[in-house]
Amino acid sequence: MIKIGQINTNREPYPLPPGVANGGLTITGLLSEYLDRQQFEPIFFTAADSTARSTMVSFGIESFFKTSQKKVLNLSYDRLDRQILLFREQSLFIKAMQYAKNHRLGLLHVHNNIFNVSHLLEFNQVPIVFTSHDPITPYHKELVNSIPQFHFVAISDYQKKSAIKLGINVADRINNGIETHLFVFNEKPTEELLFVGRLVEYKGIVEAIKTAIALKKTLKIIGQFNINNFDDKFNTALNRYFQQYRSLLTHYPRFNKKEIIDSYQRAKLVIFPSIHREEPFGLVPLEAMACGTPVVAFSQGALPEIMVDGVTGFLVNPAPDVQRGRYTVKKTGVAGLCEAVEKILSLSSGQYATMRRACRRHIEDKFSVKTMAQNYQALYRRLL
């Protein structure tokens, strides 16, 4: 039996508490739970207040969330908070490396936060698989290519191409997956538009709001404000939208998993207009489509890999001078989002039911957590 360590952060516990978003930690926990126990023994290095269907090792370190829930929920960290977070993550990683050596782990799979502990990697004595759930930067090249037995895994073809372009050695491309049995298919939604994500500029929340206003459609918004930037121009403008268009916009800053799933199921469609960042993947579209809900998204990053234009929703080019493909929707930007939304809302009941079933089938076929775990298992066997 080969022991495989999984580590991300101990900032939050796993599963995530209501109101907290961390896709990378969710994937780390799921992978530790879904590895084949006949081949591997997963060791999940996580916070002491986590619960998972795998062997957990915390070294007695509780999550920052346990003692500072309000700060984590509001993303309101001061300088001291960040130092405490860094210390706890580094402590977890140092102890995990020592544990890996003493208990003869086959390899250590690190997800995100690698730069917080990069100076410690020279002391590591087991092979490392590294998965980044954030965009790739030139700093990754220096790190990945300078450490022996360090294997970078891309989560999408887009991220893989970005890494290769920077000169990073890529061991494999493995898509993220979700628990499809939790995101239950619903054929008959009762609400209109839905946005799920952090209320930050690059997630495209303003573009989603402008689309709803232009079409005079209600938009349910689930996501956190970044309190650290509460007084900046972006958040001020966002609050102005909420106040001025109360009849169209409903904001839910606190949410749990059940509430999010219920919202996906009820929505006619989900808007995912990430505009200022090339998304390396995107769990929200997967979760929405698993419930049968089509997605309208800008064709940024890996979105064209996740969606099937005209089948599971519509892709939109972000701007006239940013053409990523020849899609069904010809307009760009917010005008394109409006055209895409109108196309879905104007489908006959039969056409719309077909699209919802296609969404569900697409996720079951390509993006289940079991498929993700199987692909990682194949990689582990190849490296060992």
Side-chain angles (χ1 to χ4, degrees), residues 259-278:
E259 291 168 338
I260 292 178
I261 293 172
D262 181 67
S263 296
Y264 285 139
Q265 293 168 331
R266 290 173 178 270
K268 190 82 171 180
L269 61 91
V270 164
I271 302 183
F272 192 76
S274 291
I275 184 67
H276 301 291
R277 181 173 101 157
E278 301 283 1

Side-chain angles (χ1 to χ4, degrees), residues 164-322:
I164 292 173
K165 188 175 181 180
L166 288 171
I168 296 174
N169 299 321
V170 180
D172 206 341
R173 187 275 292 152
I174 299 176
N175 292 142
N176 290 334
I178 62 172
E179 294 180 289
T180 53
H181 66 280
L182 294 182
F183 295 88
V184 179
F185 176 75
N186 176 42
E187 195 166 358
K188 297 181 180 179
T190 57
E191 297 178 353
E192 292 188 311
L193 280 56
L194 174 66
F195 173 93
V196 178
R198 282 174 291 167
L199 304 189
V200 292
E201 190 171 6
Y202 70 79
K203 287 294 185 180
I205 176 60
V206 170
E207 285 72 18
I209 288 173
K210 287 181 177 179
T211 301
I213 293 172
L215 298 176
K216 295 182 173 58
K217 299 296 182 183
T218 57
L219 175 64
K220 186 176 184 177
I221 299 167
I222 298 178
Q224 299 166 281
F225 266 110
N226 188 335
I227 303 300
N228 275 344
N229 299 324
F230 189 78
D231 293 325
D232 68 11
K233 292 181 180 179
F234 175 76
N235 281 347
T236 300
L238 206 53
N239 275 304
R240 192 177 299 121
Y241 277 122
F242 288 156
Q243 294 169 10
Q244 187 173 352
Y245 296 97
R246 294 175 186 169
S247 62
L248 295 178
L249 309 177
T250 308
H251 177 218
Y252 295 85
R254 299 289 178 266
F255 48 88
N256 59 40
K257 193 167 187 175
K258 184 180 181 302
E259 291 168 338
I260 292 178
I261 293 172
D262 181 67
S263 296
Y264 285 139
Q265 293 168 331
R266 290 173 178 270
K268 190 82 171 180
L269 61 91
V270 164
I271 302 183
F272 192 76
S274 291
I275 184 67
H276 301 291
R277 181 173 101 157
E278 301 283 1
E279 291 288 346
F281 197 72
L283 287 177
V284 167
L286 262 62
E287 295 170 349
M289 289 186 286
C291 295
T293 304
V295 177
V296 169
F298 284 137
S299 55
Q300 298 278 77
L303 269 299
E305 301 172 49
I306 296 172
M307 296 172 56
V308 182
D309 183 53
V311 177
T312 64
F314 292 100
L315 289 162
V316 178
N317 284 307
D321 58 341
V322 185

Side-chain angles (χ1 to χ4, degrees), residues 16 56 90 103 165 199 208-209 269 287 303 319 329 334 338 374 382:
L16 294 172
M56 296 188 302
Q90 289 180 343
H103 292 78
K165 188 175 181 180
L199 304 189
I209 288 173
L269 61 91
E287 295 170 349
L303 269 299
V329 172
V334 171
C338 289
Q374 289 168 358
R382 197 162 69 244

Side-chain angles (χ1 to χ4, degrees), residues 185 289 311-312 353-363:
F185 176 75
M289 289 186 286
V311 177
T312 64
T354 297
M355 179 172 278
R356 289 193 76 90
R357 288 193 294 270
C359 288
R360 176 66 184 187
R361 188 165 55 250
H362 177 60
I363 300 304

